[in-house]
Amino acid sequence: MRLVLANAEEQVSRDAVTYSAWGSPLTREGYLQRENRLRTHAWSRAELKMWLLCEAPGEVLASCETYRTDSFLRAPDGTLSAGDSYAIASVFTEERLRGRGYATKLMDLLAAELERASPRVHSAILFSDVGAPLYQRSGYRETPAWDWRFSPEPGEPSALVDRLLQDTDVGATLARMRRPDAPFFYWPTAEQVDWHIERERIYAELMPRPRPEANGAIAGDSTALWYMMGRTGTLMVLMLDARTAEQAAALLGTARRVAHRAGLSKVVLWEEPATAPLVAKVTGGTRELRDGSLPMIRPLRPGLPSPELTPIPRALWV
């Protein structure tokens, strides 16, 4: 068995196979349109690769995608060392081929490939919907995964904050956000965040449904970015940089009002260590163990800090 980098034709061919896993509620045609648009997005064009596990030419046993993302290792004196990490997505084995260890073999060969991909490589990260054991066999370790859920509420969104943010504000918004005070962390680019918002645009067109009136907000020194998960009717907070409990409440209250006006069913925030104490003081939230999207990290170099210490905002998900 060997690892093969898919060409453009093979990528499209694989889309037709993976529709059964990730296509609903879109039609097959809609799913193929979605995959094409995501693949031609600026972030994907720069950072996406599809990998195939093959035994013979044209015989695909399993597949996955990788997206290069920026990561930072903090030295004891606080200085940051920039590096390359790789987010792994869409790990798939056809049902007729499951139970033979192909996904594990794919993960093992891919890790070896990624270790050679960059002289400043840090890690691989994935988000498991099948629990931890499958990926633990390939050296991945899970991080804590809790959600804060809020119900939508009526009201004027702009009344609670200084400014509502649009998709054109992502770059400037990221620049004002504080980077985590953690020994190791990932930090998305503006294109990476916009890739999520592109999903919002796609589902708004294909389902169809109205887009939310804002993709984030500013309250004092605090900032939030979010997008609509059209497939599930969720307003998902991508990043939250909250400096006080009051500002956290204002930002999440605005998200709830935006969700209500867009006809969405809930607001979801992935818990992070830095903001968890502030979010816990916001009334109306429920903290729940996350069902799916379990973050798991595999070091690709010695000396990487424990995955449990790494903050994982939703903007990192692929």
Side-chain angles (χ1 to χ4, degrees), residues 2-127:
R2 62 195 181 95
L3 193 64
V4 176
L5 190 60
N7 60 33
E9 182 179 348
E10 289 168 329
Q11 291 177 6
V12 174
S13 176
R14 200 63 181 164
D15 292 341
V17 176
T18 60
Y19 171 75
S20 61
W22 300 302
S24 179
L26 298 176
T27 64
R28 181 178 295 273
E29 180 183 357
Y31 175 71
L32 296 179
Q33 289 182 41
R34 187 197 80 172
E35 291 302 286
N36 178 65
R37 281 185 57 174
L38 290 175
R39 193 172 292 127
T40 56
H41 186 271
W43 186 51
S44 300
R45 291 199 308 270
E47 310 296 359
L48 167 65
K49 293 180 179 179
M50 179 183 285
W51 303 89
L52 309 175
L53 179 67
C54 298
E55 193 161 39
E59 182 184 5
V60 179
L61 305 176
S63 62
C64 70
E65 298 172 337
T66 59
Y67 294 81
R68 193 207 66 83
T69 191
D70 295 329
S71 54
F72 297 86
L73 190 60
R74 192 182 299 277
D77 64 359
T79 58
L80 294 177
S81 174
D84 297 316
S85 289
Y86 297 88
I88 298 174
S90 305
V91 179
F92 185 76
T93 305
E94 293 179 65
E95 189 171 355
R96 63 184 177 85
L97 297 172
R98 292 173 188 168
R100 306 181 193 181
Y102 292 145
T104 298
K105 183 66 173 178
L106 173 66
M107 291 295 97
D108 291 344
L109 290 176
L110 181 59
E113 179 70 27
L114 296 178
E115 285 175 352
R116 299 189 292 266
S118 167
R120 57 177 209 165
V121 67
H122 280 156
S123 71
I125 180 173
L126 57 80
F127 300 88

